[in-house]
């Protein structure tokens, strides 16, 4: 499988297969939401769109990164999300990097959203689909985020073999600039950041599903997809 690692600004054409990687924290949060029972996640292009969609659909929850804001129900934090009953719920998610990256490749033939917690399942999905060429969208730091690059490379290796040691890739992510910044924000008690967030984001292959984004009418919707065995 041929792999290309590109930042969002480097996307000049629509790829056939795209894996959008946001480890800290958008697509780790999405995976935890599905593990907690959420039915689907609508990826919004702006905070205003997220609030408008929530207002039009009773029972939908709105999620954003950064500090709290009126109308938003949950933080972009895997640890904080665990306190919510998400059974059957729809979440509208807007983040600085992850949702932007997914929307940038929304017209690709296959769009997977990924992080370490679903890396193995994502790799098995690519293998099952027979992907020959994959564009990994490294959403953080305009394509330079070490945690996202490490995760993309780990997934690429896992497509070829399930016998890949995750430890070196997780170490790179743990030593990244953004992991250090999040840990510092947690120590300072910043709203929207939990002390357990970095640790929860750096668990390889925790969940047995991939996450596929596809257009449903005017919306880009993310849903869990059980990975094939083996």
């Amino acid at each position: 499988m041929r792999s290309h690692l590109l930042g969002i600004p480097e996307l000049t054409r629509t790829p056939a297969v795209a894996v959008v990687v946001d480890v800290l924290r958008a697509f780790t949060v999405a995976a935890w939401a599905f593990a907690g029972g959420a039915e689907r996640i609508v990826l919004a292009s702006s905070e205003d769109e997220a609030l408008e969609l929530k207002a039009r659909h009773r029972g939908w929850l709105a999620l954003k990164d950064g500090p709290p804001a009126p109308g938003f129900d949950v933080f972009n934090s895997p640890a904080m999300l665990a306190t919510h009953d998400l059974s059957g719920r729809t979440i509208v998610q807007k983040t600085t990097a992850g949702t932007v990256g997914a929307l940038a490749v929304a017209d690709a033939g296959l769009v997977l959203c990924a992080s370490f917690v679903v890396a193995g399942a994502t790799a098995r999905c690519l293998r099952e689909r027979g992907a020959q060429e994959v564009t990994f969208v490294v959403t953080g730091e305009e394509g330079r985020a070490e945690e996202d690059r490490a995760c993309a490379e780990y997934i690429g290796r896992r497509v070829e073999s399930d016998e890949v040691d995750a430890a070196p890739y997780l170490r790179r992510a743990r030593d990244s600039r953004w992991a250090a910044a999040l840990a510092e924000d947690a120590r300072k008690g910043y709203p929207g950041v939990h002390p357990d967030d970095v640790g929860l984001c750096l668990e390889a292959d925790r969940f047995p599903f991939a996450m596929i984004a596809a257009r449903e009418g005017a919306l880009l919707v993310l849903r869990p997809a059980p990975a094939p065995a083996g």
Side-chain angles (χ1 to χ4, degrees):
M1 185 186 80
R2 296 185 301 277
S3 298
H4 310 280
L5 275 65
L6 299 177
I8 296 170
E10 298 173 297
L11 294 166
T12 58
R13 62 182 180 85
T14 301
V17 178
V19 178
V20 188
V21 183
D22 191 329
V23 172
L24 297 170
R25 295 167 285 171
F27 296 139
T28 301
V29 167
W32 276 91
F34 289 132
E39 179 182 348
R40 63 179 184 167
I41 296 174
V42 177
L43 304 177
S45 61
S46 67
E47 293 183 13
D48 287 344
E49 182 190 15
L51 292 178
E52 180 184 346
L53 286 168
K54 175 192 168 181
R56 294 204 326 250
H57 299 88
R58 183 178 179 181
W60 286 20
L61 301 174
L63 180 159
K64 66 179 284 294
D65 55 8
F72 285 89
D73 307 286
V74 285
F75 287 111
N76 189 52
S77 159
M80 293 180 179
L81 203 66
T83 66
H84 293 267
D85 179 9
L86 301 176
S87 300
R89 303 299 290 271
T90 294
I91 296 172
V92 186
Q93 185 181 37
K94 168 65 179 83
T95 67
T96 305
T99 59
V100 174
L103 288 162
V105 292
D107 292 323
L110 173 65
V111 180
L112 293 159
C113 295
S115 59
F116 276 110
V117 294
V118 293
T122 302
R124 290 193 297 276
C125 182
L126 290 170
R127 190 187 308 151
E128 182 192 48
R129 299 291 184 104
Q132 299 298 309
E133 186 168 1
V134 176
T135 295
F136 288 93
V137 182
V138 178
T139 60
E141 300 181 47
E142 298 186 335
R144 298 186 300 274
E146 187 64 15
E147 69 279 1
D148 293 342
R149 296 185 71 86
C151 183
E153 292 171 19
Y154 176 61
I155 293 170
R157 289 286 309 280
R158 284 293 303 271
V159 173
E160 306 301 329
S161 170
D162 283 328
E163 302 301 319
V164 180
D165 184 6
Y169 301 94
L170 293 171
R171 189 177 308 116
R172 287 168 55 189
R174 191 172 293 109
D175 292 341
S176 69
R177 186 193 71 81
W178 187 233
L182 272 179
E184 180 64 19
D185 288 349
R187 283 192 291 271
K188 291 178 178 178
Y190 285 4
V193 184
H194 191 280
D196 293 338
D197 278 351
V198 172
L200 292 175
C201 290
L202 301 184
E203 295 184 6
D205 313 323
R206 176 164 186 146
F207 300 121
F209 52 81
M211 301 187 297
I212 297 178
R215 290 197 184 277
E216 297 184 13
L219 304 177
L220 184 64
V221 178
L222 188 64
R223 294 183 184 271

